Every structure is written in C-alpha cells, then in structure tokens.
Amino acid sequence: MTVVHNEFERGENDPFRILMQRMTATAYEWHNYGKSTIGNRADIERVPVANLKEFYQRFYQPDNAMLVVAGKFEPETALKLAAKYFGSLPRPDRVLNTTWTEEPAQDGDRMVRVTRVGEVPMAGLTYHIPSGAHPDYVAVDVLAKVISGEPSGRLYDQLVKKRQAASVAGITFALHDPGICMFFAEAAQGIDGPGLLQNMIDVVESSTEKPFSEEVERARQKLMKARELKVADSRGIAIELGEWAAQGDWRLSFLYRDRLEAVTVADVQRVAETYLVSSNRTAGLFEPTKEPSRATVPTTPHGRHDRRLSRTRADRSGRSLRYCSQAIESRIAHSEAAVRHQGCFAAEKDIRRNRQPAITLRFGNLEALTGKAVAAEYLGAMLFRGTESMDRQQIQDAFDKYRAERRVSSDPGSVTVTVKTLRGNLIPVVKLIQEVLRKPSFPADELDLLKEQQLASAEQNLSDPTSNASNSVQRKIAEYPPNDPRYMASLTEEIDRIRGVNIDQIKTLYSEMLSGTHGEISVVGDFDPAELTPVLGDLTADWTSDVAFEHIPKVSVNNVQGAMEKINTPDKAQATYFAAMTLPLRDTSPDYPALIVGNYILGGGALSSRLGNRVRQTEGLSYTIQSAYQASPVDDRSIFYIYAITNPLNTDKVHSVIREELDRLLKDGITEDELNEQRKGLLQNQELGRASDAALASLMGTHLRTGRTMQFTADFEDRVRSLTVDDVNQALRKHIQPDRLFICMAGDFGEKKE
C-alpha cells in the first residue's frame, strides 16, 4: 500500500499532471474516465485486502487478457507456448458486466482552479471528442496538431511567439468510449494565468475563422511519421496493437492509418466547428502560491463497484504485406561493421526498417570554453532553429517528409545529433543534417523563445524535490569554479545564466570552435556502406577550426567524509532521497566488472535487488528505489549513487534502511546464489540493450572515441562471467564507503499528521 501511496504522491508533485487530472474530473460528470486510475489517497490507504483479492480473481483471468508477441520468434512455437501456459488455466464461471454509462453532452462551459505552491502559472482547455474508433477521431487528432504544433501551430504562433506563453502542448486521447482533447500553456515571464487562459480560448475557439490550409498536411505528415516509426519497432507495434485492441479491435490501428491518409482540410474544418465550442469546454488554471491554503474535511470511506468496458470489432480487411522484418541479432559478433571513413564509423546490423545515425562533434578546450558553458549548452538546439535556406518550420517539415525523428544535445565540448528514420531515407536525412550543422542562421527571436521555455522549466525546478536533491548532491561531486565549463550551477544561478546568454555568444562559439575535425559518427541499420561513406565525408569535409580541441577531463572528488542535507519544499506530497560519491576509476579498471555486478545486486537490478526487496517490497517505503554505478570511458572518474522517492514522513526511515543494506552488503558480502542469478540478469540486459538501435549506435560511438572495437564489450562480458564471490566482495569493500556519500533529502518537512 505504501508503495502505491508513494506512486500517487509522485503525481501530486507535478503541476501539469494535477491540472490535467482536475480538468478531466470536471469534464466528466458520470463516466469513470473522470477518475484517475490510481485512485485517491483514501482508496489507497483504506481498501480492504478482501476487495483486492476479489478484484484480482474477477479480472485477472485468461478471457480478459491479451497476448501480443512482436520481434524475432517462431509463430508455431509461440502459439504452443501460449496454449501450454494460458490454455491450461480454467475458464472462469463469472461473466463480466458491460459498461452502460454514457457521458451526456456538456451543456455549458466549466472551470476549475488549482492553487498550490509553485512558480509558473499554467492554463488548460478540455473538449469532449468521439471515441478512437469513430471516423471523426482522426480529423480531431490532426486538428490538435494544427493548433498546438511547434513551431508554427496556432497556439505557438499566437502565444509563444508573442511572449504570452513559454510553451504549449496538445493531447488527444483515443479511448473505447468518447474521449477528450486537451490543450495546455505555460505562462511566460510576467504573464498571469487568467490572461493566458483567455488568450488560449480566443485562439482555439476562433480557429475556424481563419481557413485551414497547408498546416493540415503538415500535421498529417507529422502523425504519419510518428505512426510509421512506432510500428517499425517491435516494442512499438506490440504496444500499438494492444492499445487499439483495448478500444475494441487491434485492426483499428490500421483503420486509423487508412483514415489518416485520407483526411482532408474540410474534415478538419468540420470537427473544429463541431467540438471546439464554448459549451463543450472545460477550462483549468494552475495558480502558484507561496504557501499552501486548503481546508481538510474529514471523509468516510465508501465501496467501489467495478465494471468492464464493452468491446466492439472493426469490420475491415488488411492490406497486402508491405514490410517483412528479417532477423535482428544483438549478439556482439553481428554488431560490428564494415565501414570506416576519416574517423567516422558505421555499423551495419541485420535488416530492420529503422536507420539510426548518431553524430557527435567535439570542439574547444578548457581555456577556450571558460565562461562559455551556457552558450555551448544552447548551441545544439539553436542549430535546428534555422539555416541559410530554411526556417525552423521548413526544417521540421523536411524531417517529417523523410519520416525522421531527431534529437540534439550539446554541452561544453560536444554537440550530438541522433536521428531515427526509415529505410531509403538515410542519405537525404544525413544531407539535411549536413545543412543544419554547416549553414545555421541562428535567428535571435528563436533564442528568445527557447530561453522563455527554459526559464519556465528552471523556475518550476525551484520547488521540485527531485531537482533540489539531485542538484545539491551533484554540486558537491563537481567542485569547479563558477567560470569553469564543468561548473554545476545552483537552481537559482541557472535562472540567471539562462537570462544572460545572447545570440552573439552562440554565434561566436560556433564560428570559432565547431568543426568536423574531431568526433564520431555511428550508423545502425540496413544501408549500403559504399553509398553512405561519401555522404558522411561531405558532412565533415573542409570544416576546420583554429581553436585546438582538447578533451576537458572531469575530476573525481575524493572526499574523506560525506555530508547530509535536508531541503524543505512546501506543499509537495513526495520527497526525494539522493546520495552519491565519486571514485577515481574508469571503465578499464580491473575492479570495474565486479563493481558493476555488485551494484546490480545492491540496487541496479531494480525490484530483484537488495534495495528493491528491502525498501520497496518488505518495508513499502518507496515506489522507486535504485542504485547505479557509472564509469567514464575517458576519465578516471566514476559515480556511485542511490535514488529513492518516498513520503516526507518516511525520509529518515528510508535513509536508515538504505544504510543498513549498504552496511550488510559490505560486512556479509554477496552470496554464490546472488552472483549466479544477478550475473545472468545483467548479461541478458546487456544483450537486450544491443537490440536497441539507439543504444548500439551510442555504444559504437564510445568505442570509436576510445579506439576500441566490440571486442572490448565481449571481453567485459567474459570478465563478468568469470567473477567469483570474493572478487565482487573485495571490490565493493575497497571502493564503496558509505561515510563518503553526499546525501540530500528534499520534501515538505513541515508539520504533518501521521
């Protein structure tokens, strides 16, 4: 119960989730969609065990379950296994009830206000829409993208670009019964919530006054891209089919695709006129306060009555087979490839539909980057905000055209771009990245918009327990002067740093330091190395810098004594525990494999670990508890940390229990059974990780940077297999010293009743 209670409290910490929940509850008067699935606090605290057993016995039955298998397998074998393990279960005698409740049409606008401790006002709008199976749903989905899309959606254009909002978002819910469409906006600096809400209403409900145009096709392409990338991934297609099956039939997934391909401007215009009307609106405001102000009224527990949603079937036939995924191997022998070009490396994996390039450019040195950390952090995002021939929207349209998702990050010394795209699109996508990297325009107005968004996020962090706890500890294990590019700013300093960065700093950094002379490129998927190699060469050719590149090492903080800190974050239902220490080791250390296995036994194995068993399973103190050991491939610095969330009343108990488990691990050591079982799980996770294109591309990039091959990974796993109990115990006792941990607990530590 306390674990689920902790999960509930985690949601209570998030203003966005709270506002969405309150708006949903207000929008639905009768249907259970208005009730959060986790229940309220009293449900969690008071539900009798007998009710839990009855619920389990009623619903957790084979006639109410669905098995989806996606990936590499033999269908006949899978069917036999399903028949063996599920077919042997007896058919239940009971018959599940169907749902008869229908939400009546809303007959007037509704309003909800949430006042909690926070920093940034938020506003939201909710509109009732048809179920996912209804023909109108697809048009509503496109409409939501037209209104909330970035960077040219109507809310973005009218609110973000005009400095009324720091960010906007739109969500549609495809559900078995009629669902909802929601829009949200986070206020810009100096904008109050009521004014922001009225501006949102004006934009959304007057959308039909301005004719829809090419924005419909743009939104349609974005949704098509998202779907195609999802179904090209085994995990994605399994979830996709399961979600649509829950609405009535798995074939609805393909019906959605057909309808999306056929949606028109007229369809979008019609659903906007039908559903985006004031009488169908539920509006919401999150109004931050400095102190909580709520009246607590005693309540009486009451019973629950559960019903099962009815299911429908979609009457349609499938298309002819277009794609056939062939074998995907994650074994090391199949992971390394044949292409090398001027310091660039590409790996060819067994055939799959997705292609995943990862490009990292390295630049600068400690002296050159002193005082330029914030500009370096903004550099990556600004590269994709405009080029000499394309604005931000045109760049996004080009990625959508090629069904490509991209992510970019940067820090002092590197810019990394990762992309996922489909077969046949790799070459044009790499050429598109080349233009972004080589011909950026750095529009000043886009930096202003980005800063506004970052400021809103940074201000939210001021009252967030996890942000406070992790920032406090990370500052202690990264001791550098404020001008040093490795310096970890405090949460309040970060706000000042964001405000201080300007476009000239970013332009100067780019022109003086970024080049194609240092870095790594790794590509995973099905491609022609001979065709790709010259394109990769063009991306970096004749691109140099007069500023010499030199890796900036991170230094281990070898403190003798740790420290304990508590930070009060009022009106936050969940507290965070964070502890960390550094070790002067890299991933080539003889003790590295033993420390990895030892940590996996302690807390890296999640629920099957010692911390998982004790803190979550036995004591019921935390929904999330884990430990991690991360070693650098280039610096003599590794980090050991422990993270947990809990109720503020339980933080001292969490700290005590974690310390007991650490002391027991170091005193008594691990057992032979633990080593054998957890080592097996660790190696399986390693192999499973290499089945991910993104993870494999990142791994190969690291190997290229350090001059390694996949043999390094194979050798590491052989060393793990050969470990003894004594090896692991000696490494743990040598390096893990609980008294050296820097610990911070953040939460609402004011007076509370038990």
Side-chain angles (χ1 to χ4, degrees), residues 102-158:
E102 290 185 2
E103 185 70 22
Q106 191 168 315
D107 51 10
D109 62 290
R110 301 168 185 171
M111 180 71 193
V112 60
R113 281 183 169 85
V114 179
T115 55
R116 292 198 175 195
V117 172
E119 307 295 332
V120 182
M122 294 181 64
L125 299 173
T126 300
Y127 299 89
H128 293 279
I129 63 172
S131 66
H134 193 279
D136 279 359
Y137 175 78
V138 167
V140 174
D141 210 9
V142 172
L143 173 63
K145 279 285 186 290
V146 169
I147 291 176
S148 64
E150 186 177 336
S152 62
R154 296 191 174 187
L155 280 174
Y156 192 90
D157 186 65
Q158 295 298 310

Side-chain angles (χ1 to χ4, degrees), residues 2 209 233 286 348 415 515 524 539 561 570 610 627 633 638 647 664 673 692:
T2 50
E209 297 175 7
D233 173 74
F286 174 80
E348 184 175 13
V415 172
S515 73
V524 172
L539 190 152
Q561 187 65 40
R610 287 196 180 188
S627 68
S638 57
N647 184 282
R664 185 168 71 89
D673 288 343
S692 161

Side-chain angles (χ1 to χ4, degrees), residues 44-180:
I44 298 166
E45 293 173 347
R46 301 174 182 174
V47 60
V49 172
N51 290 51
L52 299 178
K53 289 181 178 179
E54 190 276 333
F55 184 90
Y56 174 80
Q57 292 164 357
R58 183 170 182 79
F59 293 102
Y60 283 69
Q61 298 285 353
D63 66 335
N64 194 37
M66 176 177 56
L67 176 66
V68 181
V69 183
K72 180 189 176 184
F73 65 94
E74 294 295 335
E76 291 301 321
T77 302
L79 289 171
K80 289 178 181 178
L81 291 171
K84 176 181 178 181
Y85 290 105
F86 291 97
S88 61
L89 299 174
R91 182 186 299 274
D93 295 329
R94 61 93 183 93
V95 176
L96 292 172
N97 295 334
T98 57
T99 298
W100 58 81
T101 301
E102 290 185 2
E103 185 70 22
Q106 191 168 315
D107 51 10
D109 62 290
R110 301 168 185 171
M111 180 71 193
V112 60
R113 281 183 169 85
V114 179
T115 55
R116 292 198 175 195
V117 172
E119 307 295 332
V120 182
M122 294 181 64
L125 299 173
T126 300
Y127 299 89
H128 293 279
I129 63 172
S131 66
H134 193 279
D136 279 359
Y137 175 78
V138 167
V140 174
D141 210 9
V142 172
L143 173 63
K145 279 285 186 290
V146 169
I147 291 176
S148 64
E150 186 177 336
S152 62
R154 296 191 174 187
L155 280 174
Y156 192 90
D157 186 65
Q158 295 298 310
L159 299 184
V160 177
K161 289 184 178 179
K162 294 183 178 180
R163 309 298 191 271
Q164 297 296 304
S167 63
V168 295
I171 311 171
T172 54
F173 293 88
L175 302 174
H176 181 281
D177 295 340
I180 52 176

Side-chain angles (χ1 to χ4, degrees), residues 307-366:
R307 300 186 178 93
R308 183 172 183 259
L309 295 177
S310 62
R311 298 180 180 272
T312 60
R313 295 184 63 85
D315 185 15
R316 69 176 303 277
S317 57
R319 296 182 182 179
S320 60
L321 184 65
R322 293 177 60 190
Y323 302 105
C324 181
S325 297
Q326 298 185 21
I328 300 172
E329 293 287 348
S330 59
R331 302 183 191 279
I332 292 173
H334 293 277
S335 298
E336 192 141 29
V339 181
R340 291 182 181 270
H341 178 76
Q342 296 180 357
C344 300
F345 173 86
E348 184 175 13
K349 229 179 164 189
D350 289 341
I351 294 176
R352 57 175 64 197
R353 286 180 58 198
N354 283 342
R355 314 291 166 266
Q356 187 103 26
I359 301 167
T360 297
L361 302 177
R362 303 192 183 278
F363 62 90
N365 54 63
L366 181 57

